[in-house]
Amino acid sequence: MTKPSPLNGKLAIVTGGGRGIGRAVAMTLAARGAELILLGRTERSLKTTAVDIRNQSDATVHVRTLDVTDGDAVDQTFSGLIAELGPPAILVNNAGGAESAPFTALDRDNWDATLAVNLTSVYACTHAVLPAMIEAGYGRIINIASTAGLEGYPYVAAYCAAKHGVVGLTRSLALEVERKGITVNAVCPGYTDTEMLQAAIRKIAATTGRSEADARDELAAANTGGRLVRPEEVAEMVAALCGPAANSVTGQALEITGEDS
Ligand code: NDP
């Protein structure tokens, strides 16, 4: 018997879909029946993920290189995709990144770049897709925020500010579109086992003299479950927010911090 596919035929855009959490989200949505559009700057990783998706399911996958901090490129890419493929049902704003520095060393370029990739990109991609969703009367927008969108962490002021901004945008837009068939939610993972975390671990080890293993253990211990979150766990929550059980869930910022299991 074939498994039910709750997202059958739904067109889903995932920014930063080539690796890490975005890749896991893309694989999971495709396994639930969605047709995928993967966006990111690195064609190679996007294509590798597309091949892996096609190998696991018969999902259709499209790949476009895009720097989500380039507003004009976002508008052009999204309008081209919508003209070609129709209104996307799902937008997962996942692209992001963090660099740590004490606030006194956080220069204006670093601040601007961090807000551009983590916050303004969410505005730009959402702005580019929302009219088509409104016209279609259906949309699921999921923003990958962070626990740094709900509480402060030292040495990442710009990242925390950006992710708090993502949560605020989520809550505001959810109210604006709540009668239009569109839900807007954020997921807020704790430390999650990806390349971004690995880079953070290397930096902690280099700046403190601790071993990478110790740094990794310390970050894992900061999560509720005492372990790193797996990208697939974030992906499951995103898929759930896209599915019928979450039709009445909007404006939420859901923490994913790893239950001990
Ligand atoms: P990775 O560094 O593994 O992946 C980041 C992804 O974002 C890549 O696919 C990258 O692709 C893409 N990306 C980065 N900058 C741009 C850009 N300018 N334009 C287009 N795509 C871009 O990180 P994670 O998977 O860990 O992070 C994914 C999201 O999850 C981020 O928003 C992050 O803030 C958030 N998050 C991560 C946590 C963690 O502990 N790992 C915890 C909480 C939230 P490419 O470089 O090819 O463009």
Side-chain angles (χ1 to χ4, degrees):
M1 204 171 73
T2 51
K3 278 201 324 199
S5 300
L7 305 181
N8 227 351
K10 289 202 162 36
L11 184 60
I13 298 179
V14 181
T15 69
R19 65 169 199 261
I21 291 172
R23 174 187 154 91
V25 167
M27 303 278 292
T28 303
L29 296 183
R32 304 283 201 286
E35 174 178 345
L36 264 295
I37 300 170
L38 308 180
L39 304 176
R41 293 167 304 177
T42 313
E43 188 173 30
R44 194 160 154 212
S45 60
L46 296 172
K47 284 191 164 165
T48 302
T49 296
V51 168
D52 291 346
I53 289 174
R54 292 187 195 108
N55 285 342
Q56 80 158 16
S57 63
D58 55 6
T60 304
V61 190
H62 313 266
V63 161
R64 298 285 186 279
T65 51
L66 174 69
D67 182 339
V68 293
T69 66
D70 181 340
D72 290 341
V74 168
D75 285 344
Q76 270 175 25
T77 301
F78 275 72
S79 63
L81 286 166
I82 291 165
E84 184 188 336
L85 302 169
I90 296 165
L91 170 65
V92 183
N93 285 307
N94 163 77
E99 275 195 36
S100 60
F103 192 79
T104 48
L106 175 63
D107 64 30
R108 181 60 190 255
D109 286 349
N110 189 337
W111 169 267
D112 287 345
T114 303
L115 263 72
V117 73
N118 289 291
L119 177 58
T120 311
S121 70
V122 177
Y123 155 77
C125 294
T126 304
H127 199 257
V129 93
L130 196 63
M133 285 183 172
I134 290 173
E135 201 179 325
Y138 184 87
R140 298 286 175 267
I141 298 173
I142 291 102
N143 299 323
I144 311 298
S146 167
T147 48
L150 301 169
E151 61 187 277
Y153 289 82
Y155 307 117
V156 282
Y159 183 71
C160 274
K163 292 297 189 181
H164 274 70
V166 171
V167 171
L169 186 161
T170 301
R171 290 173 173 154
S172 174
L173 183 59
L175 297 174
E176 225 173 289
V177 296
E178 66 184 354
R179 305 272 169 97
K180 300 184 195 301
I182 299 169
T183 65
V184 189
N185 290 290
V187 297
C188 299
Y191 294 112
T192 305
D193 200 358
T194 67
E195 278 182 36
M196 182 175 132
L197 188 88
Q198 193 51 45
I201 288 169
R202 281 195 297 272
K203 183 154 189 188
I204 292 169
T207 51
T208 65
R210 292 203 298 273
S211 70
E212 288 190 16
D214 282 353
R216 190 179 173 85
D217 287 348
E218 191 185 313
L219 296 184
N223 281 346
T224 311
R227 64 165 174 82
L228 296 179
V229 175
R230 292 185 295 275
E232 293 73 20
E233 293 175 293
V234 182
E236 284 295 336
M237 182 56 74
V238 172
L241 287 168
C242 294
N247 280 348
S248 299
V249 178
T250 195
Q252 302 305 305
L254 302 168
E255 265 192 74
I256 306 172
T257 55
E259 206 42 54
D260 201 5
S261 59

